[in-house]
Amino acid sequence: MKKILFCSLMALVLLGITSCSKKKEKRAVSSDSEFQQGTNVSSDGEEVINWTNEHGCICVLFGEGFNSGEVYEEMLNRLSSTYGLDENGGLLYPVLFPDDLKNKISNLYSYLGDVDLRGLILLGSPEGTHLQLAKFLDDEDGRSFPVFSFFPLDDVLGQEYTCDFVLEYERTAQEQVDSTEVEQKIDTDAQDIVFNAVRYMGLLNGPLPMNDNLRDNIQKIVGERKIKRYVDHDTGIQSMNHYVLEQK
């Protein structure tokens, strides 16, 4: 009888250990709307945030226009120096397209399947990206993390449906008529926007709601550059979550 009891207790202990291990595989995002990363104050009085992947990491997809050697390295170095890399306990989980995805954006969903995502930032997302994002929406619990898309080359309507918001460069009326692609200007402004986006996303606890505050949220990320709603040239309809950077 004692032997049977001992075996039962051992089974319960092993079950508990296994359960704990499984829980560690996927860290749940805090539901507390006031959650923030741990902060402290530097010697000059500025707030310093300790960015960690304790509540998940932020994936940044470096797509078309952002994946060339110099641009990629410069942006990654700047981001990782502040936010840290997930592999070292930091916030950032970079994905380089097409290299990391075996030349196919269709591998994105499966590639991120085991990643504990706090958010996803798309830079120059290639055609077909929205189909992968739709799979996150179709998950059992839906998409619990924010998705920001900057300067996409993907289908516009698909991006609007699957992302919190889409931001790109403004096109002239003639460029819209001709369906001309606007050159991805990876300048200091673009880098600053991405840098701010990671910080902003790191303080969120879920997707940005599509309400009257959305524009203000995007403007805070963009900074001084002015934004306005995207207007479809053919229908004259303004998008709810698609914005453009006004031309200088």
Side-chain angles (χ1 to χ4, degrees):
M1 181 67 181
K2 290 182 178 179
K3 187 174 182 179
I4 294 176
L5 179 60
F6 174 76
C7 292
S8 300
L9 290 173
M10 285 299 293
L12 288 173
V13 171
L14 290 173
L15 180 61
I17 293 174
T18 303
S19 298
C20 290
S21 298
K22 289 182 178 179
K23 288 180 182 179
K24 289 181 180 178
E25 290 176 3
K26 189 71 175 179
R27 297 181 294 267
V29 176
S30 170
S31 59
D32 180 2
S33 61
E34 296 182 355
F35 166 81
Q36 290 190 359
Q37 301 280 351
T39 61
N40 54 58
V41 179
S42 65
S43 58
D44 56 5
E46 292 187 1
E47 181 185 55
V48 177
I49 299 179
N50 301 317
W51 301 105
T52 72
N53 59 8
E54 180 182 359
H55 295 274
C57 61
I58 292 178
C59 172
V60 178
L61 173 71
F62 292 86
E64 304 293 346
F66 294 83
N67 53 3
S68 63
E70 292 183 2
V71 172
Y72 170 70
E73 292 295 336
E74 183 177 346
M75 292 191 68
L76 183 60
N77 287 337
R78 180 181 177 186
L79 291 170
S80 61
S81 65
T82 296
Y83 303 111
L85 293 175
D86 175 72
E87 61 186 22
N88 299 322
L91 186 64
L92 196 68
Y93 187 90
V95 175
L96 178 62
F97 176 81
D99 301 36
D100 292 338
L101 301 179
K102 299 180 180 178
N103 298 317
K104 295 180 178 180
I105 194 62
S106 58
N107 290 323
L108 179 64
Y109 179 78
S110 59
Y111 186 86
L112 297 177
D114 295 327
V115 178
D116 184 10
L117 287 176
R118 184 169 179 78
L120 174 60
I121 293 177
L122 307 168
L123 309 178
S125 53
E127 184 177 352
T129 303
H130 70 283
L131 299 176
Q132 297 301 296
L133 300 178
K135 294 181 180 181
F136 289 107
L137 296 176
D138 291 338
D139 282 345
E140 183 177 352
D141 298 324
R143 173 167 64 80
S144 60
F145 55 86
V147 177
F148 301 167
S149 180
F150 297 98
F151 319 114
L153 300 180
D154 192 16
D155 176 73
V156 172
L157 293 178
Q159 287 270 312
E160 292 176 358
Y161 177 73
T162 54
C163 300
D164 290 25
F165 70 81
V166 181
L167 181 70
E168 62 179 341
Y169 293 110
E170 182 180 17
R171 291 188 294 172
T172 64
Q174 189 60 47
E175 287 173 334
Q176 291 192 51
V177 170
D178 299 337
S179 297
T180 303
E181 292 290 349
V182 177
E183 181 184 356
Q184 304 299 294
K185 305 170 185 175
I186 317 304
D187 53 15
T188 302
D189 284 351
Q191 289 196 29
D192 289 344
I193 290 172
V194 176
F195 186 87
N196 293 340
V198 175
R199 186 186 193 283
Y200 206 80
M201 184 176 283
L203 298 176
L204 295 176
N205 292 290
L208 284 174
M210 196 181 301
N211 55 28
D212 294 338
N213 295 323
L214 182 59
R215 178 172 185 155
D216 291 337
N217 286 321
I218 300 174
Q219 189 66 69
K220 289 175 182 176
I221 294 172
V222 171
E224 295 182 357
R225 287 286 296 272
K226 298 299 182 182
I227 63 171
K228 61 184 180 182
R229 279 185 177 179
Y230 171 83
V231 180
D232 183 85
H233 177 267
D234 295 325
T235 65
I237 297 176
Q238 290 188 342
S239 171
M240 292 293 293
N241 65 338
H242 185 177
Y243 285 78
V244 295
L245 287 167
E246 292 188 356
Q247 295 190 21
K248 292 183 177 179

